[in-house]
Amino acid sequence: MVDVSPPARPAARSRTRTWAVVAAACAGQFLVVLDVSVVNVALPSMRTDLGLSGPGLQWVVNAYSIAFAGFMLLGGRAADIYGRKRMFLTGLALFTAASLAGGLAQEGWQLLAARAGQGLGAAVLSPATLTILTAAVPEGPARSRAIGTWMAVGAGGGAAGGLIGGVLTDLLSWRWVLLINVPVGALVIAGAAVWLAEGRAGDRRRVDLLGAVLVTAGLATTAYGIVQTEAAGWTAAATLVPLLGGLALLGVFVLVEARTAAPLMPLRVLGVRAVSAANVSMLLLGSATFGMWYFMTVYAQNVLGYTPLEAGFALVPSSAAVFIGAKAAPAIMARTGAKPLAVAGALTAAAGFGWQSTMGVHGSYLTAVCLPGILMMAGSGLASTPLATLATSGAAPGDAGLVSGLINTSRTMGGALGLAVLSTVAAARTAGSTGAAEITDGYALAFRTSAVVLVCGAAMMLLWLPGRRDGTTAGRPDTRAGGRPGKEPTPAALHSPEG
């Protein structure tokens, strides 16, 4: 008798290759999210070396965020049309080159231009990472675990930014918070060139140029208006003009997309309940939780008297909590479903923010930093994974890059909006005072506001997110609102020319 069973070695090799793809995608996402926060601790040193003004220093952070948010939808669609591997490598190469330019900057404008270049590279890279991952792993528990890893690594990058930035700035120089991306980026590029196979969603349609210009300009202008609120307030012309102008551009974008034969963002995508509900939920989650790292870092240093390095280490348990929460989410989701876990995660985070709002001037590390931080970030990790799973599984394969860009845009824009609003709330309470008690009261009010947003978000998730009775189990799309689940590629199909 002839044994015709498939050999074990190719299957093992296929599994190894699949998880190498997942590792490359996660590494790219880690770098992208890390650079949102890693520069915060290094800002004083940058100001001293390059002679940056106060507003210029703020733009070291904002230049990255605005370019990142503004170009992400375009980056996601480009991955669908021109190839996921190509866009992954292009985005990572641009991000790495901009990091090198920023680390070697001799003038303030050079640093700001490099940060904008990093944001543009991140906008191309980030959607490709999630699209590559969902194409590499078939739908079901394995994909939920892979998305959980991706969410955990991304959240860990944001959480670890303060610690990594503090260590590099104290031991080396501020330049290394940017230069560290160069060897890591080069290593990931080399691995991705070997392990990733090209894949795209069908034929190479022309990019909807008018739609691309409108949505990029609209998102970037809106983000610019949002970040102006901290310095100018919500009623100033410097805030209202770009904010309203950006919203108007986005409105025109929607009208154009409804009439274009090959739109950048087919409006039918937003008609899929899983996609629209998950994106709004992610926007609210990001708006409530993103500012936690900023407020906790400043509270630890300006009120409790921690050094930058001590503040970074103080948030390590919170960083571990968000990682563990996101990693544990797929196993829990397999038992409970995506919707109950997202709701439970949001309520857990709300409890942590409520606890944190009791902070005082002489708070102890355990009860004023550590335990509330663990609760806040564990809840965030538990909620993020099912939301990303619902959004990506609710779209057809041809829209995978777009939906990946959309969920990342929702999180990024939510974070920018939330931080601006919460900073305004805190500033209104402190009324310009620099006393420790007044600063603490302002931060406490910001945390209470976040708790309220999370409770409202949990209620919205309960009412809107698709559940088992709507035809959605963990990792399966809701098809009742017009979505087509589509058949995702298997790991073997990832290595074919069509991806």
Side-chain angles (χ1 to χ4, degrees):
M1 180 180 292
V2 179
D3 183 8
V4 294
S5 61
R9 179 172 292 180
R13 188 160 52 242
S14 177
R15 287 194 298 270
T16 300
R17 183 162 191 151
T18 296
W19 285 104
V21 171
V22 173
C26 289
Q29 181 68 2
F30 179 84
L31 288 176
V32 164
V33 180
L34 176 71
D35 267 63
V36 175
S37 59
V38 72
V39 300
N40 288 341
V41 174
L43 290 176
S45 299
M46 292 177 177
R47 183 173 189 171
T48 300
D49 275 8
L50 302 180
L52 289 167
S53 64
L57 200 64
Q58 184 182 13
W59 278 100
V60 174
V61 178
N62 294 341
Y64 182 89
S65 299
I66 290 175
F68 189 17
F71 286 92
M72 206 179 306
L73 277 182
L74 180 58
R77 182 49 96 190
D80 286 333
I81 297 175
Y82 297 115
R84 296 151 189 170
K85 177 180 179 178
R86 179 176 298 173
M87 290 299 101
F88 181 92
L89 293 176
T90 299
L92 186 53
L94 177 57
F95 180 87
T96 303
S99 298
L100 177 62
L104 299 178
Q106 300 301 311
E107 301 287 343
W109 69 265
Q110 295 172 349
L111 177 61
L112 298 184
R115 288 289 288 168
Q118 281 187 306
L120 177 58
V124 176
L125 172 62
S126 185
T129 63
L130 186 54
T131 309
I132 286 170
L133 184 146
T134 55
V137 185
E139 192 173 331
R143 181 186 292 178
S144 295
R145 288 194 298 271
I147 291 177
T149 301
W150 181 86
M151 291 297 304
V153 169
L163 175 60
I164 294 174
V167 170
L168 292 174
T169 302
D170 278 2
L171 298 183
L172 297 171
S173 117
W174 67 262
R175 298 182 181 276
W176 279 97
V177 303
L178 301 174
L179 292 176
I180 191 64
N181 295 325
V182 177
V184 177
L187 184 63
V188 177
I189 288 173
V194 173
W195 288 104
L196 297 186
E198 189 55 276
R200 64 178 185 272
D203 59 347
R204 295 193 180 191
R205 296 161 291 173
R206 289 191 311 164
V207 171
D208 172 17
L209 185 59
L210 179 58
V213 170
L214 285 171
V215 73
T216 300
L219 287 173
T221 306
T222 303
Y224 175 81
I226 289 170
V227 300
Q228 287 293 94
T229 59
E230 186 172 354
W234 286 93
T235 59
T239 297
L240 289 177
V241 170
L243 196 57
L244 296 177
L247 292 176
L249 287 171
L250 292 177
V252 175
F253 166 72
V254 172
L255 294 177
V256 168
E257 296 305 280
R259 292 165 172 77
T260 302
L264 177 69
M265 188 182 76
L267 298 184
R268 58 177 169 76
V269 171
L270 295 179
V272 180
R273 181 177 172 186
V275 175
S276 55
N279 273 277
V280 174
S281 300
M282 187 68 86
L283 181 79
L284 289 177
L285 184 70
S287 69
T289 60
F290 180 79
M292 175 267 188
W293 304 109
Y294 171 79
F295 288 114
M296 291 295 283
T297 301
V298 178
Y299 169 67
Q301 293 182 65
N302 291 356
V303 177
L304 300 183
Y306 292 12
T307 66
L309 191 57
E310 288 172 341
F313 276 110
L315 295 178
V316 167
S318 302
S319 304
V322 72
F323 185 88
I324 293 171
K327 282 293 291 177
I332 302 173
M333 192 164 56
R335 295 176 177 270
T336 66
K339 175 179 175 176
L341 181 58
V343 172
L347 291 176
T348 300
F353 276 88
W355 185 354
Q356 187 63 56
S357 70
T358 64
M359 60 206 290
V361 175
H362 303 292
S364 69
Y365 169 69
L366 190 63
T367 59
V369 177
C370 180
L371 296 180
I374 289 174
L375 206 55
M376 285 186 279
M377 290 297 100
S380 176
L382 288 171
S384 297
T385 299
L387 292 177
T389 301
L390 281 170
T392 55
S393 64
D399 297 322
L402 171 65
V403 173
S404 299
L406 192 60
I407 196 73
N408 277 291
T409 300
S410 297
R411 181 168 55 179
T412 303
M413 289 297 292
L417 175 62
L419 183 57
V421 171
L422 295 173
S423 296
T424 303
V425 167
R429 174 58 64 92
T430 59
S433 174
T434 58
E438 290 77 10
I439 290 175
T440 303
D441 286 343
Y443 294 167
L445 181 58
F447 280 109
R448 278 195 294 276
T449 304
S450 289
V452 171
V453 171
L454 286 166
V455 171
C456 293
M460 189 209 68
M461 294 176 199
L462 192 62
L463 295 173
W464 193 8
L465 284 177
R468 290 180 185 272
R469 286 179 296 179
D470 297 299
T472 303
T473 57
R476 293 185 183 175
D478 171 25
T479 59
R480 290 177 53 143
R484 292 186 303 106
K487 185 178 180 181
E488 287 289 345
T490 62
L494 178 67
H495 313 306
S496 69
E498 290 300 316

